[in-house]
Every structure is written in C-alpha cells, then in structure tokens.
Amino acid sequence: MDKKFLWGGATASYQCEGAWDVDDKAESMWDRYLHENDLENGDIASDHYHHFEEDIRMMKEGGQNSYRFSLSWPRIIKNKEGDINEKGIAFYQRLLDACQRYDIEPFVTIYHWDLPQYWEDEGGWLNNKVAYAFEHLAKVCYEHFGDKVRNWTTFNEPKWFIANGYFIGNYPPGLQDVQKTMIGAYNVMLASALGVRAFRTGNYQGQVGIVHSYTPVNGVDDSIETRIAMRYADNYCNNWILDTAALGEFPIDLVAKLAQDYDISFMKTEELKIIKENTVDFIGLNYYARALVKPYTEGETQLVFNHSGKKGESKVVIKGWFEQVKDPNSEFTAWDTEIYPKGLQDGLIEAWDRYHLPIYVTENGVGVREDVTVDQVNDDYRISFMNDHINALMNAMDQGADIRGYYAWASFDLYSWKNGVEKRYGLVAVDFENAQIRKPKASYYWFKDIIESNGEKIQRRSFE
C-alpha cells in the first residue's frame, strides 16, 4: 500500500447532521417527504452538527487519515435565486478546520441526495434549471472551501436517487415513470459535468470525481442470451453513470433501446458537448453487493427493496431486459444484501480496465441490528466483512488496479434513509435513545490496527 493511501469512514449530511432547521437551513426534499408521510426522519440523526469535533477527534484516535462527508445544499443556498447562507458556510468551515487540526484529509461530496425543497417544488431533477443551479452550488463550495479541500466529488450515487425517486417510487418524489427517470438521469449527469467544468475553469487545487453505487454484474451462464441480459443490467446499474462521467457519453445502445419507446428530444447537442468535454479525474465506487442476472422470462417490471429487515423480500425484474437471481450458496444480511467480496475484486479490475482512472472505494460496510447499550459492541461480523473486502481491494491492486483509498460506511451509526436507525453501519456506536452518546465498537479498534499496519495485518486469500 502506498503511504498516501486514504483510510477513513464516510457519512452523508442528511443522514448524520441533524439540526434540520438550525442556523437558517432551508427545508430539504427529505425533510418534507418524511414529515408529510410520518416516517422516521433525520431531524436529529447522529447530531453530527453539534458533535463534529468529537467525531473527527475519534477518527484521528482510530488511526484514520481521511473523512468522506457531504455538504447540504439547503444549508448552503437559501433559495432559488442562489443567495448564500453564511451560517451554513461557517458550519462547514468549522468542520474543515477540525479536519485540519486532526490531520484528517477531507473527501467532500457536493450532493448526497438532499435537494432543497424550493427546487423540488419546481420539478426537482426533471427541471433542467436544477442542473445549472447545481453548477452555482458547486462554484460556491469551491470558492469557500477550495483552500481546504483537495478531493471533490460532484454526486453520490445518481443511480439510487434517480431510480428510487422516479422509477421505483419509494424515495421522494415517489414517481414511477420511465420517461421522467430518463429526464432526471440526463439532468443529473449534465449537472455533474457542469460541476466538473466549474472546477476546471476556476483552477482550484486537487481533483474532482463522481461517486457511484457500483453493482458489478455476473451472469448465471455463458450463453449469448445471458450476456445480452448482463449488458442490459450493466447499463441499468452502472454504465449510464460511469461511462457518462468517465468517457463523456451515455451508452449508445442504452439510448437506442430507450428511444424505441420513449422521447429522447430532451438530450440537447450543446449539453451533450458539455458532458463530453468535462469528464472526471477519478471514480469513487460504493460497493455493497454484485448483481447476478439471467435473461428476462416473464411478468411485469418489479423492483422490490427490503426496508423491513425480514429476509426474502427483495426482487428485481426489468421487463424485456433481465431478472436478478440469488446465488443459493451465498450469505445474505437481514436486508437481503449478498455478502460477496469477490464481486468487489472483480468489479475493481473491470472498472480499472475500462476507464484507466484512479479509483477510491468510497463506501463499503454491513448494516446490522445492534444493542448499543453495552460497553462495547463486539461486531466480529463487521470485522470479518471489512477484512474480506479490503483483502479483495488489495487483490485487485496486485493485479494492477490503481486504488487510492478505502472508506468504511460509516464513520459512526447514522440514520439510514427509510430504514431509520435500526440498521447500524458505524464503526462507532451512537445511542439514539440517550443523548447520541458515542462508543467505539470492536471494529473501530480493529480498523485502527489495519491502518497502522498499512494493510499488512489483513488476512489475505484469493477468491476463485
């Protein structure tokens, strides 16, 4: 491992900050959606807004040298006119100053799902103006924080907030419409390119990339039908983000397929040129599981995701494209997430071979119900999970992939969208019932040992 390798944890503004209406923060689409539907919310969450100093000190004490976090758009920009909230800027300045004090390298995401409600009221990501509003946000962030940040990413996981918001319908704005999904996907990738362009034209220090929810695709066999299904799945899961950000073009076979049944006139030549000319410096890959697929057989499109923690509830079928299947030999979490470290190894090698851009594993972790009232959570399962996935990353590096960082999801327990706080991912326990008290888990100390050995203490094996 290079001595400059970044070892850390990751969080997201809405999932950890709390302080949802503090210091002139505007309402976000998640505030509105969760309040209106009477769902568990992130109003307080981990209260990172008031605990960031403690949290960053604990990162340092845990051996970590980097912290990946996101900025809250509604905390920074007050309104559609683009007016700046100085109190929001001041909060992130304090947070970045704490990173500097503890020698923690910030790795900053500009957008992690929390669109201001004032833009959602104007159509959200269906409104092309929002892409240009994001460009303004990016410029404000670079201008105010650029002297303290060297690693920027425009977006976290466009796939999930677009697919869940406009296609599956279980995230705000709760729509199920293929045409609108296409428009939202296009506007987000345009916004990302505009964010890259703003970074380049401003001559800021460092580098800018994008973070993707990476789902490497495997097939059930080597038949031509399965390989076609795999290509559909890869386009759906990965390529419309990674190809577009890294190569500057939407996959043309995906566009051609969609154009058979839907209107693509919203794709403007001058904007496609912006996308082509403003590709990323690196890619961040969030890895939880692969997709094992077979050719489509029958039935309507089904996208059922497990938010209950009762096994066996998830199902993915895209009509005419592919069906996702479960490997009977694999282990799964209570939320139906396959534990498959080989997928990370294979996926990293695939991404390196395809894009030849530096890679960061920007999220990797396992969500479990845990009793945090004990003195120390003994999370052997998380230690085992992290060991095997860091091992997979190191195997990919041995095969030539340029990987420069690993971030555990998450730095500490936080709010997990519609799973509330029941599903815990943190290296540090947060007692949500008792003043958000922090207690490091066994995995926190294990990770410290791994970092201090620069990966030498990882138990290595090859994945066949």
Side-chain angles (χ1 to χ4, degrees), residues 21 32 36 44 55 100 144 225 241 255 266 450 458:
D21 58 353
R32 175 75 59 87
E36 280 190 347
I44 300 171
D55 290 330
Q100 276 192 328
H144 285 85
E225 293 81 7
I241 298 105
V255 176
F266 58 86
I450 295 301
I458 287 292

Side-chain angles (χ1 to χ4, degrees), residues 137-167:
L137 168 69
K139 285 178 179 172
V140 169
C141 294
Y142 301 147
E143 201 54 44
H144 285 85
F145 312 128
D147 58 332
K148 296 171 184 168
V149 180
R150 288 195 292 271
N151 299 294
W152 292 95
T153 61
T154 53
F155 283 87
N156 176 80
E157 299 188 342
K159 151 81 187 304
W160 282 122
F161 71 83
I162 292 297
N164 287 24
Y166 298 97
F167 186 44

Side-chain angles (χ1 to χ4, degrees), residues 18 59 120 124 127 147 166 171 178 192 219 225 229 239 247 286 317-318 330 346 351-352 393 417 425 434:
M59 292 169 199
E120 185 52 45
N127 185 344
D147 58 332
Y166 298 97
Y171 282 6
V178 176
S192 180
E225 293 81 7
N239 298 339
L247 305 177
N286 295 351
V317 176
I318 307 275
S330 285
D346 296 345
W352 170 249
L393 176 157
W417 306 111
Y425 282 94
N434 185 16

Side-chain angles (χ1 to χ4, degrees), residues 67-118:
Y67 175 32
R68 177 177 170 247
F69 63 93
S70 76
L71 306 171
S72 167
W73 187 342
R75 207 179 280 292
I76 291 172
I77 306 292
K78 292 181 182 180
N79 48 35
K80 295 198 304 275
E81 292 69 40
D83 295 328
I84 295 171
N85 175 19
E86 295 296 345
K87 291 178 185 174
I89 296 288
F91 166 68
Y92 290 115
Q93 293 287 14
R94 293 195 298 275
L95 194 158
L96 286 163
D97 288 343
C99 288
Q100 276 192 328
R101 267 198 308 283
Y102 291 105
D103 201 24
I104 298 285
E105 182 78 38
F107 196 102
V108 178
T109 305
I110 299 173
Y111 183 89
H112 194 129
W113 304 11
D114 44 354
L115 188 72
Q117 183 61 38
Y118 57 73

Side-chain angles (χ1 to χ4, degrees), residues 31-305:
D31 295 324
R32 175 75 59 87
Y33 174 81
L34 294 166
H35 292 158
E36 280 190 347
N37 290 287
D38 198 26
L39 295 165
E40 191 171 348
N41 60 53
D43 288 2
I44 300 171
S46 320
D47 199 24
H48 187 52
Y49 196 83
H50 298 108
H51 288 260
F52 68 86
E53 180 88 27
E54 175 187 6
D55 290 330
I56 292 167
R57 174 178 54 77
M58 289 174 85
M59 292 169 199
K60 177 65 172 178
E61 290 171 356
Q64 297 164 41
N65 62 19
S66 187
Y67 175 32
R68 177 177 170 247
F69 63 93
S70 76
L71 306 171
S72 167
W73 187 342
R75 207 179 280 292
I76 291 172
I77 306 292
K78 292 181 182 180
N79 48 35
K80 295 198 304 275
E81 292 69 40
D83 295 328
I84 295 171
N85 175 19
E86 295 296 345
K87 291 178 185 174
I89 296 288
F91 166 68
Y92 290 115
Q93 293 287 14
R94 293 195 298 275
L95 194 158
L96 286 163
D97 288 343
C99 288
Q100 276 192 328
R101 267 198 308 283
Y102 291 105
D103 201 24
I104 298 285
E105 182 78 38
F107 196 102
V108 178
T109 305
I110 299 173
Y111 183 89
H112 194 129
W113 304 11
D114 44 354
L115 188 72
Q117 183 61 38
Y118 57 73
W119 276 121
E120 185 52 45
D121 290 340
E122 301 291 319
W125 288 108
L126 303 179
N127 185 344
N128 187 251
K129 286 181 184 169
V130 172
Y132 294 90
F134 174 83
E135 180 182 27
H136 170 64
L137 168 69
K139 285 178 179 172
V140 169
C141 294
Y142 301 147
E143 201 54 44
H144 285 85
F145 312 128
D147 58 332
K148 296 171 184 168
V149 180
R150 288 195 292 271
N151 299 294
W152 292 95
T153 61
T154 53
F155 283 87
N156 176 80
E157 299 188 342
K159 151 81 187 304
W160 282 122
F161 71 83
I162 292 297
N164 287 24
Y166 298 97
F167 186 44
I168 298 163
N170 64 335
Y171 282 6
L175 304 178
Q176 293 179 311
D177 185 308
V178 176
Q179 182 71 47
K180 288 177 177 172
T181 303
M182 291 162 57
I183 294 168
Y186 170 80
N187 284 330
V188 166
M189 296 314 298
L190 170 62
S192 180
L194 290 166
V196 171
R197 185 176 74 175
F199 183 80
R200 298 263 160 73
T201 54
N203 289 315
Y204 298 98
Q205 66 170 3
Q207 55 179 358
V208 62
I210 194 167
V211 169
H212 170 55
S213 48
Y214 194 34
T215 311
V217 176
N218 296 150
V220 292
D221 57 36
D222 291 328
S223 69
I224 191 70
E225 293 81 7
T226 296
R227 287 171 61 194
I228 292 168
M230 287 171 66
R231 176 65 186 179
Y232 281 137
D234 207 14
N235 278 341
Y236 170 77
C237 292
N238 304 307
N239 298 339
W240 70 265
I241 298 105
L242 291 181
D243 279 14
T244 311
L247 305 177
E249 293 180 357
F250 289 96
I252 196 63
D253 59 331
L254 173 62
V255 176
K257 176 72 173 169
L258 291 168
Q260 292 172 6
D261 300 304
Y262 302 97
D263 176 17
I264 60 165
S265 62
F266 58 86
M267 302 179 80
K268 301 284 188 277
T269 304
E270 61 274 19
E271 290 179 336
L272 293 171
K273 187 168 182 283
I274 293 169
I275 289 169
K276 183 66 180 173
E277 291 174 353
N278 295 282
T279 54
V280 292
D281 296 320
F282 68 89
I283 51 177
L285 299 176
N286 295 351
Y287 178 81
Y288 294 93
R290 60 156 175 178
L292 181 62
V293 303
K294 69 175 186 179
Y296 170 79
T297 53
E298 60 182 0
E300 295 302 309
T301 292
Q302 283 189 74
L303 294 139
V304 182
F305 292 95

